Amino acid sequence: MSDRDATAEEQDRVLRELAELGLAFARDLAAQVATVKSVAEADALALAFHRVTRSVRLAIALQAKLARERHEVARLDRTAAARRTEARKEQIRAVLSREIFTDEAEQEAAESLAERLDERLDEDALFEAFLDGPVEAAIARIREDLELPAEGEILPQREARSGGGGPRSGGGGFSRSVVGFNPLSQPAADSSP
């Protein structure tokens, strides 16, 4: 239970108790009406009854207001969590999509991997743990699950089959490329003159 939940429960308990005490006191005052002997006593009892019932109404109104505020805070928390989740999905998608479409010579294979990435992100986003830890760790975990090369790993890559035979001519050879560019792990450029 969070501190906020514990505080809310304590507030509810105290306000409920105040309302119950006030209501019991108002009932006692109402019972005393039959024993009133003078106008002054009746005026004092009426004033006391008015004040007690007002405090009961205020306690109930405050309980309702606090409940509405808690619901609003919970709604805002859910909205903020959804925004953070979408932002994390977009960060991961940006890094890994770039790698997928850079590394895969065949468009169909790249699109299949991109679909698997989207499915994985949608599935992972269902759990609160998706937002835990640094985004780089999530990228590495998903990269491994999709069997993409590790960040910065140098792997042979097929060239387009457009004819020719050498690695540089684009015909069935291999080139070497550095994969795994992650803009999140790059140092910020110094913008000072």
Side-chain angles (χ1 to χ4, degrees), residues 1 18-19 49-50 63 94 97 105 133 135 150-151 153 158 186-189:
M1 175 182 291
L18 282 173
F49 185 79
H50 170 73
Q63 266 185 309
S97 291
V135 70
E151 182 177 2
E153 185 177 327
R158 273 194 193 164
Q186 304 301 318

Side-chain angles (χ1 to χ4, degrees), residues 95 98-99 136 139 143 151 180-186:
V95 171
R98 187 175 305 115
E99 291 178 17
E136 291 82 6
I139 290 170
R143 180 184 286 128
E151 182 177 2
F181 171 75
N182 182 348
L184 299 173
S185 64
Q186 304 301 318

Side-chain angles (χ1 to χ4, degrees), residues 4-169:
R4 186 168 40 182
D5 292 339
T7 300
E9 280 188 16
E10 179 65 14
Q11 288 171 342
D12 283 343
R13 186 191 64 73
V14 168
L15 288 172
R16 189 172 31 255
E17 188 175 341
L18 282 173
E20 288 170 0
L21 287 171
L23 196 54
F25 190 57
R27 285 186 182 122
D28 288 344
L29 290 173
Q32 290 178 19
V33 169
T35 63
V36 171
K37 303 260 192 257
S38 70
V39 173
E41 279 183 66
D43 285 345
L45 245 144
L47 182 61
F49 185 79
H50 170 73
R51 289 178 177 164
V52 168
T53 56
R54 183 172 188 274
S55 67
V56 169
R57 288 191 311 270
L58 288 174
I60 292 170
L62 183 55
Q63 266 185 309
K65 179 183 178 196
L66 291 174
R68 284 191 306 272
E69 288 175 358
R70 278 191 229 102
H71 287 300
E72 180 63 15
V73 167
R75 186 189 67 75
L76 292 173
D77 286 349
R78 286 189 305 273
T79 301
R83 277 195 222 119
R84 285 191 310 273
T85 298
E86 283 305 311
R88 174 149 298 194
K89 284 172 63 174
E90 288 306 314
Q91 290 171 330
I92 294 170
R93 185 179 290 116
V95 171
L96 294 180
S97 291
R98 187 175 305 115
E99 291 178 17
I100 288 169
F101 287 102
T102 300
D103 296 342
E104 291 297 325
E106 297 180 27
Q107 185 70 18
E108 193 172 302
E111 288 175 2
S112 175
L113 269 175
E115 284 178 24
R116 285 179 49 207
L117 171 62
D118 286 340
E119 289 170 1
R120 171 65 190 270
L121 288 173
D122 289 342
E123 182 180 312
D124 285 0
L126 295 174
F127 302 96
E128 288 182 22
F130 181 66
L131 297 174
D132 294 345
V135 70
E136 291 82 6
I139 290 170
R141 190 172 49 254
I142 293 173
R143 180 184 286 128
E144 182 180 328
D145 289 348
L146 294 177
E147 298 175 356
L148 293 172
E151 182 177 2
E153 185 177 327
I154 300 176
L155 288 180
Q157 181 181 44
R158 273 194 193 164
E159 301 241 347
R161 296 182 185 142
S162 59
R168 300 225 181 255
S169 64

